Amino acid sequence: MEAYMNPYSIISLLASVIAFYTSVFIYYRNPRNNLNLLVSNLGVAVSFMAFTEFVYRTVAAPGDAIIWLRLSLLWPIIPAILLHISLTYTRRRVGKPALAVIYAPALIFILTGLLTDLFISGPLLTYYGWTYALPEPPLVFALFSLWTVTLTLTAAAITLRDYLRSRGYRKRESLYIFTGLFVPLIVSFTTDFIFRDLMGLVFPEFTQTMLSIGLLFIAYGVWRYDFPELSPAIAARSIADVMPNFLIITDLEGRVTSCGRSVHEKLSYSSSDLRGKPFWDLFDPSDREMLIEVVSGFSSSEMETRIISAHGEKTDVLLTASPIRGRFREPIGFVFIATDISLQRRATERLRESEMRFRGVADNISDGIAITDESDTVIYWNRALEEITSTGRDDALGRKMPEICSEVILETRGNDEFLIRGERVVRIFRFSIMPGLGAVLVRDVTEARRYEESLISALRERETLIREIHHRVKNNLQIISSLLNMQKPYIRDAEDLRIFEESQTRIKSMAMIHENLYQSETLSEINMRNYISRLATEILSTYGASGIVSDIRVDDLSLDIELAVPLALIVSELVTNSVKYAFPDGKGRIIISFNLKGGVYLLDYRDTGQGLPEDFSSGSSDSLGMTLVRALVGQLDGELETFNEGGAVFRITFPERSS
C-alpha cells in the first residue's frame, strides 16, 4: 500500500496522460503531415514509458517490478525518433538506408534488454520506487548511454543550427521544437548524471515527465501560433477567410454551419442571420429543388445559379457542391463554393454580340473568309466563300483547310493566284488573327483578269496600229524623198538645187524618226544616242563629206516624239550647215554632245571649221536654216547661244518636261 501511494508514481501517471493527449491533439491538427505524425509517435512512446514507470514504481513485489522494468527498455526508440524529427523538420532527405542507421541500433538495444540480462540485472528498490540494477560490468548500458547521448546531441545540434539560421516565423517555430524536445532531455541528463551520480544528491528520474512537459510546450505552440509545419490544416481556415469566392459549409440537412468572409462582406449577412438556415435560401428560388436533390443525394455537382444578398441583389455564380466526409469516410456535411461569374457572363454576352456583328459583316462582303484554329481546322466559313468555292458551310466546318484546298484548286498561277473549279481565278491570302487563330481570305479576281486580258489585247492592237502608222509615214516620207531625188536632174539653178537638197535632208530626218519609233519597244520614245549618231552619218553620206568626222557624245537618253522631232531637225540643220560652210577644204570634225543635268537638257554642237562670221547673230540671221532652228528651239521652250571657240558653237538648253 505504501508503494501504491508513492507520490513519484502519481507524477509518472500524470506525465503519461499529458503525453498521450498531447500526441492525439498534434496528430489531429494535420494527420497527413509527416512531421505531425513523427511528433505524435514520440508522444505515444513517451506516454507508454511514463506509464511503465508509473506501474513499476507502484508494485510491491520485485517479481512484478521486473516485468515492467523490462518493458521500459523500449526507451531506445525515443532518441531514434528525436533524430528522425530533426532531420524531417530541417527538410533533409531521410531514405531507407538512413532510417536503418537510425532505428537498427535502437531495435538491437531493445531486443537485448527484453531477451537477455546484459542490459539490466534485476530490480532495485529506491525511495522513489523500483528501478533496475546494472550488471557488472555495465558494458551494454554504457554503449546504450553513449548512443543515446550521441543521437540526442546530434538532433539538438541540427535543430539549434536551423534556429540560428532562420528568421521571423520559422525562427520562432524552431525555438519551440528545440525547447520542447531537447531542453527536457538536457535537464534530465543534468539531474541523472550530475546531481545524482556525480554529486550523490537524492534526486528521482524525471526524464519521461520532462519530455511530457516538452510535448505540452510544442502543443501550445501549435495551438497559439498555428505553426504551419506542425499544423498546415490551419492554412485551410485562413484561405477560407481570404478567398474571394462565397464559401458555405452546411450539415447533412443543408443547414448553414459556417461561412467564409466574402459571404458576410459582399452579401451583408451576419453569422446569426445564416446559422441554421437552409443554404438554398441564399440562391435563386427556381433552383431550390435542384439544390435540395444535391443534399439528399450526397453527391458532388456543379451548376450556374444566382446568389441573393441580404438586400435582395442577385449575382450570377458558378456553384460547386462537395460532400465532406469524416475520419472513417462517414458523411458529415457539405462545402459549397459559389464563384462570381457576372463579369464572365457580361463578357460572354459582349463576345456573342461581337460575333453576331462579325458574322453579319463577314456574310455580306464579296470576299470569301475562312477562320481556322491552331490545328488548321475550319471553324468559320462565310457565305461568299460558299459561292466562290461551291463548298457549303456545313461541308467545310470541322475539316482541315489543306484538304479543302486540294479539292478546290486546279492550278497554281503564282503571286498567290489560283485557278479553282468553276473556272474561277482567285487570290488567296493567309494571316494570323491571334495566337492559335488564323484567317484565310479568298478574293475572286475572275472578272478583273478578264478585263485585264481585254485591255492587254486592245493595247496590243493599238500598238500594232501605231507601228503600222509610223511605218507608213516613214515609207511615205521616203517616197517623197525619192520623188524629190527624181526631180533634182531637172533643176538648173544651183540655189534652187541647194534648197531642194536641204528639204530632202529634212524629210529624211523626219523619216528616220518614224523609223526609230516603228522599231522601238515603247512606240513613244526615241533613243537619242542611236538616232543622232545615225542622223549625222546619213547627212555626211548624203553630201559625200568623207573628210568630215563626226564625234557623238550623247548620253543614253530617250525623248518622246514631241521633243525628239524638233531636236532632230535642229541637229539636221546644224550638221548640214557645217558640211556646206564650215570646211572649205572638205576636212574637219563635228562634235555633238547631249545630256541631262538638274532637269535641264543641254545640246552642245560645235565644229572645227572656220567659225561663224564676225557679224553673225542667231537672232538676226535671215537664212532659212537659222530661222528654222530658232523656231524649233522655241517649240522646246529653250534658249540658243552661238559663239566661236575653235570653230562654230551652238549651245541649246531646254527644260525637262514632266510626264
Side-chain angles (χ1 to χ4, degrees):
M1 181 63 66
E2 293 179 358
Y4 181 76
M5 297 303 296
N6 185 344
Y8 298 109
S9 65
I10 302 301
I11 294 175
S12 297
L13 180 61
L14 290 175
S16 176
V17 173
I18 291 172
F20 178 77
Y21 282 106
T22 300
S23 65
V24 172
F25 169 77
I26 293 175
Y27 172 77
Y28 275 99
R29 292 289 281 193
N30 190 2
R32 296 183 180 181
N33 183 272
N34 288 334
L35 188 61
N36 286 51
L37 186 61
L38 286 173
V39 175
S40 298
N41 289 338
L42 177 66
V44 172
V46 170
S47 176
F48 180 76
M49 292 298 100
F51 183 76
T52 60
E53 188 177 68
F54 159 72
V55 175
Y56 67 67
R57 284 182 177 177
T58 303
V59 297
D64 296 332
I66 192 63
I67 298 173
W68 293 95
L69 287 171
R70 289 194 180 277
L71 287 177
S72 70
L73 295 180
L74 294 173
W75 202 87
I77 196 67
I78 291 179
I81 296 176
L82 287 173
L83 181 58
H84 195 175
I85 290 173
S86 297
L87 294 174
T88 301
Y89 176 70
T90 54
R91 300 183 179 92
R92 287 173 169 82
R93 183 178 179 83
V94 185
K96 291 182 179 179
L99 291 176
V101 172
I102 294 172
Y103 288 100
L107 181 60
I108 293 172
F109 285 123
I110 291 172
L111 293 176
T112 301
L114 292 176
L115 303 177
T116 71
D117 294 329
L118 298 176
F119 210 133
I120 61 175
S121 61
L124 178 65
L125 185 61
T126 67
Y127 66 92
Y128 50 82
W130 292 101
T131 185
Y132 46 80
L134 299 178
E136 292 295 338
L139 180 60
V140 175
F141 186 82
L143 290 175
F144 163 69
S145 300
L146 179 62
W147 177 80
T148 300
V149 171
T150 302
L151 259 62
T152 303
L153 293 180
T154 301
I158 292 173
T159 308
L160 181 61
R161 184 170 178 265
D162 185 81
Y163 166 75
L164 296 175
R165 291 188 173 187
S166 300
R167 294 182 179 179
Y169 192 82
R170 173 78 176 185
K171 194 176 188 70
R172 182 170 59 187
E173 190 175 62
S174 298
L175 177 62
Y176 268 79
I177 294 290
F178 180 81
T179 304
L181 297 183
F182 302 108
V183 169
L185 289 177
I186 294 172
V187 172
S188 296
F189 291 160
T190 302
T191 58
D192 288 350
F193 292 107
I194 297 177
F195 292 172
R196 187 176 59 218
D197 297 340
L198 296 180
M199 301 178 63
L201 298 177
V202 177
F203 208 94
E205 293 180 355
F206 281 138
T207 303
Q208 314 306 333
T209 303
M210 296 303 296
L211 280 174
S212 299
I213 295 173
L215 288 169
L216 189 63
F217 185 75
I218 292 176
Y220 172 78
V222 172
W223 171 77
R224 178 66 177 82
Y225 296 108
D226 293 334
F227 288 146
E229 286 289 341
L230 292 177
S231 55
I234 301 301
R237 294 197 294 270
S238 300
I239 293 172
D241 284 338
V242 300
M243 65 187 303
N245 311 70
F246 303 113
L247 176 68
I248 303 170
I249 298 176
T250 72
D251 58 17
L252 284 173
E253 286 73 34
R255 294 187 295 268
V256 178
T257 58
S258 63
C259 296
R261 185 176 297 173
S262 293
V263 175
H264 303 304
E265 293 182 351
K266 296 182 180 180
L267 302 180
S268 302
Y269 288 109
S270 65
S271 298
S272 58
D273 292 336
L274 297 177
R275 190 173 300 277
K277 181 179 182 180
F279 86 97
W280 48 78
D281 288 351
L282 276 70
F283 295 92
D284 196 304
S286 61
D287 297 321
R288 178 172 299 176
E289 291 184 5
M290 189 178 302
L291 296 175
I292 293 174
E293 287 181 7
V294 170
V295 173
S296 60
F298 198 70
S299 59
S300 299
S301 64
E302 186 175 272
M303 61 181 290
E304 289 189 10
T305 181
R306 288 186 294 177
I307 195 168
I308 305 172
S309 72
H311 306 300
E313 298 172 350
K314 296 183 178 181
T315 303
D316 293 321
V317 294
L318 177 65
L319 180 64
T320 302
S322 300
I324 304 175
R325 297 183 182 273
R327 181 67 57 196
F328 301 103
R329 304 300 298 165
E330 76 281 7
I332 59 175
F334 291 89
V335 58
F336 294 92
I337 299 177
T339 303
D340 187 348
I341 59 171
S342 55
L343 291 178
Q344 293 91 320
R345 277 259 177 100
R346 288 195 290 270
T348 301
E349 290 298 325
R350 287 195 295 268
L351 184 61
R352 186 178 295 112
E353 292 174 2
S354 176
E355 181 180 355
M356 295 302 296
R357 287 196 295 269
F358 166 77
R359 288 181 179 272
V361 173
D363 276 342
N364 287 282
I365 63 176
S366 59
D367 291 334
I369 296 176
I371 297 178
T372 60
D373 60 17
E374 65 277 359
S375 63
D376 215 12
T377 300
V378 176
I379 59 176
Y380 176 75
W381 191 268
N382 78 336
R383 190 177 301 155
L385 200 52
E386 289 183 306
E387 181 181 347
I388 292 172
T389 63
S390 301
T391 301
R393 180 177 298 174
D394 294 337
D395 295 333
L397 294 178
R399 296 179 61 192
K400 301 290 185 182
M401 195 65 192
E403 177 187 346
I404 299 175
C405 290
S406 65
E407 295 178 358
V408 173
I409 295 175
L410 304 177
E411 179 185 325
T412 301
R413 295 189 171 181
N415 295 326
D416 300 320
E417 203 164 282
F418 304 88
L419 177 67
I420 64 173
R421 61 190 180 192
E423 297 301 316
R424 289 177 179 267
V425 180
V426 298
R427 295 196 70 188
I428 300 177
F429 308 93
R430 299 203 67 161
F431 54 91
S432 175
I433 300 176
M434 62 179 65
L437 205 62
V440 178
L441 188 143
V442 180
R443 177 165 295 166
D444 188 346
V445 294
T446 306
E447 293 301 324
R449 293 297 171 264
R450 289 173 183 169
Y451 181 65
E452 287 178 4
E453 290 174 1
S454 65
L455 285 179
I456 292 172
S457 177
L459 287 172
R460 287 173 180 168
E461 292 177 2
R462 178 177 177 273
E463 179 181 336
T464 301
L465 179 62
I466 292 174
R467 287 185 188 278
E468 183 63 22
I469 291 172
H470 284 302
H471 184 59
R472 292 190 179 189
V473 171
K474 185 264 297 184
N475 288 343
N476 291 336
L477 289 174
Q478 285 183 341
I479 290 172
I480 293 172
S481 178
S482 298
L483 291 173
L484 292 176
N485 197 48
M486 291 172 63
Q487 293 294 321
K488 285 170 62 175
Y490 300 101
I491 300 175
R492 300 288 183 263
D493 185 74
E495 182 63 21
D496 291 342
L497 182 60
R498 180 185 65 78
I499 295 172
F500 207 82
E501 289 177 343
E502 289 178 357
S503 297
Q504 191 178 19
T505 301
R506 294 184 184 108
I507 291 171
K508 285 184 177 180
S509 300
M510 297 180 69
M512 286 176 59
I513 288 176
H514 287 281
E515 183 179 11
N516 280 358
L517 287 172
Y518 162 70
Q519 295 175 349
S520 68
E521 295 181 357
T522 62
L523 295 175
S524 61
E525 292 185 340
I526 297 174
N527 185 279
M528 298 308 297
R529 175 188 290 173
N530 297 334
Y531 177 77
I532 291 175
S533 176
R534 183 181 172 191
L535 178 62
T537 302
E538 282 285 333
I539 294 174
L540 294 176
S541 175
T542 299
Y543 284 95
S546 58
I548 301 174
V549 178
S550 60
D551 184 1
I552 308 302
R553 305 174 183 177
V554 178
D555 291 348
D556 189 15
L557 297 173
S558 294
L559 297 181
D560 61 41
I561 192 169
E562 293 184 0
L563 296 178
V565 170
L567 189 65
L569 292 174
I570 290 172
V571 172
S572 175
E573 291 297 326
L574 295 178
V575 173
T576 302
N577 188 67
S578 294
V579 171
K580 291 169 57 178
Y581 304 113
F583 309 105
D585 56 356
K587 295 181 180 180
R589 178 186 295 273
I590 59 174
I591 304 166
I592 306 174
S593 63
F594 181 63
N595 54 60
L596 174 65
K597 290 184 179 179
V600 177
Y601 289 106
L602 170 63
L603 174 66
D604 188 271
Y605 178 90
R606 61 182 67 207
D607 59 39
T608 59
Q610 60 185 0
L612 299 172
E614 293 182 1
D615 58 348
F616 179 85
S617 172
S618 62
S620 61
S621 175
D622 56 358
S623 66
L624 178 61
M626 288 309 302
T627 301
L628 184 58
V629 168
R630 287 196 299 272
L632 294 170
V633 171
Q635 287 185 29
L636 297 172
D637 296 327
E639 296 180 359
L640 171 63
E641 181 182 359
T642 59
F643 55 90
N644 287 319
E645 189 177 81
V649 178
F650 294 84
R651 183 169 293 164
I652 300 170
T653 58
F654 60 95
E656 181 183 18
R657 294 181 183 178
S658 59
S659 56

